[in-house]
Amino acid sequence: QVQLVESGGGSVQAGGSLRLSCAASTYTYSRYCMGWFRQAPGKEREGVATIDSVGSTSYADSVKGRFTISRDNAKNTLYLQMHSLKPEDTAMYYCAALGTGSWCYGSHTLHEYNYWGQGTQVTVSS
């Protein structure tokens, strides 16, 4: 069982920046694919960015060039650096982990992730 705890959310004005963190409770963290997902009120949860065990990343078109996903395997921590935030980025942001029993490679859909955090709220005002 993997526990994920997000932090770093908050309220910011449009154009501002935030950095989200996600601490994972597993000694095999480096083998996991990790991702950030978000859900706005009345909308379905959507993918924001993912990173696999060798550091390959993928981004939603809506955040490319503004958000950066990274991981620190020594600290079992996932990050999402967000710049140039827009009101449409307002959502609950969730960290997720995908364990395959071995090393995880590539990008995966939301439904493949088997561990989820409780979420951290990001609110961007215009």
Side-chain angles (χ1 to χ4, degrees):
Q1 189 75 9
V2 177
Q3 292 189 331
L4 303 171
V5 179
E6 302 98 333
S7 61
S11 296
V12 64
Q13 290 194 328
S17 299
L18 284 173
R19 188 176 83 155
L20 306 183
S21 299
C22 171
S25 64
T26 172
Y27 65 92
T28 57
Y29 170 77
S30 62
R31 299 182 182 184
Y32 284 73
C33 287
M34 301 295 297
W36 287 101
F37 300 83
R38 67 186 181 187
Q39 188 167 17
K43 295 188 177 181
E44 293 187 352
R45 193 170 297 189
E46 63 178 4
V48 176
T50 64
I51 185 167
D52 72 2
S53 62
V54 293
S56 296
T57 58
S58 66
Y59 294 91
D61 288 343
S62 59
V63 307
K64 282 181 181 176
R66 300 188 298 122
F67 292 9
T68 301
I69 188 171
S70 62
R71 64 191 300 164
D72 185 335
N73 291 336
K75 296 182 178 180
N76 286 7
T77 301
L78 179 73
Y79 302 101
L80 184 69
Q81 180 67 58
M82 304 185 293
H83 294 299
S84 302
L85 283 161
K86 304 176 181 180
E88 51 263 45
D89 294 319
T90 295
M92 184 71 77
Y93 282 71
Y94 297 91
C95 169
L98 169 57
T100 65
S102 182
W103 296 89
C104 180
Y105 301 104
S107 61
H108 298 268
T109 65
L110 179 154
H111 301 289
E112 295 180 84
Y113 283 78
N114 40 15
Y115 299 103
W116 291 84
Q118 294 300 307
T120 185
Q121 178 67 38
V122 172
T123 302
V124 185
S125 58
S126 58

